Structure formats: C-alpha cells, structure tokens
Amino acid sequence: VQSTHDGRQQITICTDRIEHIAATAEANAAQARAQGFVAARQGLVAARAAIAAQRGMRAEDRAEALRDIDEAMAEIETESRSE
C-alpha cells in the first residue's frame, strides 16, 4: 500500500495480501496439474482405443503398443496421486 506521510512516500508491505496471493497461486497450480493429468489420461485412453481397433497391425506389435500405453497410464495414475 502506498501513501504519503510528512511529504514522503511511504510503502507498507501487507503480508496478509502476499499470503493470499501465494495461496491463490498454489491452488491454481494444483488445479492446472490435475487438469493436465486428466488430459493426459484421456489422450492415452483414446490412443489405446485406436490401437486396439487397428486390425491392420501385427498382433504382436499391437499387444506391445497396448502394454506400453497401459504402463504410461499406470505412471500417470501414480504421479497424479503423489504430492
């Protein structure tokens, strides 16, 4: 907060405002992180469905791709629960 006292500029630092801004930023970051995990999971679900439906692919290649996607989904699930 800026003011003038005895003709001199005075700045008052309000820690409660700083704490409020920091808390808001932290909440926004947590929300963005959660949304990122949701988007990543949705992308992997869509990719998994597309690969599972791909009959032109060799069965071994399809199985390997599905395993890799399942592993990535598990990693995202674990990561989303941390912190």
Side-chain angles (χ1 to χ4, degrees):
V1 177
Q2 292 185 348
S3 62
T4 304
H5 183 67
D6 292 332
R8 295 178 57 178
Q9 187 177 18
Q10 186 176 28
I11 298 175
T12 303
I13 298 172
C14 300
T15 57
D16 60 330
R17 289 182 183 181
I18 294 170
E19 290 169 357
H20 174 72
I21 291 169
T24 299
E26 190 174 324
N28 290 343
Q31 183 179 14
R33 183 177 189 271
Q35 289 172 343
F37 283 121
V38 168
R41 189 173 194 303
Q42 288 173 339
L44 288 170
V45 167
R48 191 180 197 297
I51 290 173
Q54 185 62 257
R55 296 298 166 207
M57 220 175 168
R58 285 187 17 211
E60 297 84 17
D61 293 339
R62 187 172 51 252
E64 181 180 356
L66 293 174
R67 272 193 307 275
D68 290 346
I69 291 172
D70 289 344
E71 287 176 16
M73 288 173 70
E75 287 175 21
I76 286 174
E77 201 63 36
T78 299
E79 202 47 44
S80 71
R81 291 182 181 158
S82 68
E83 287 187 30

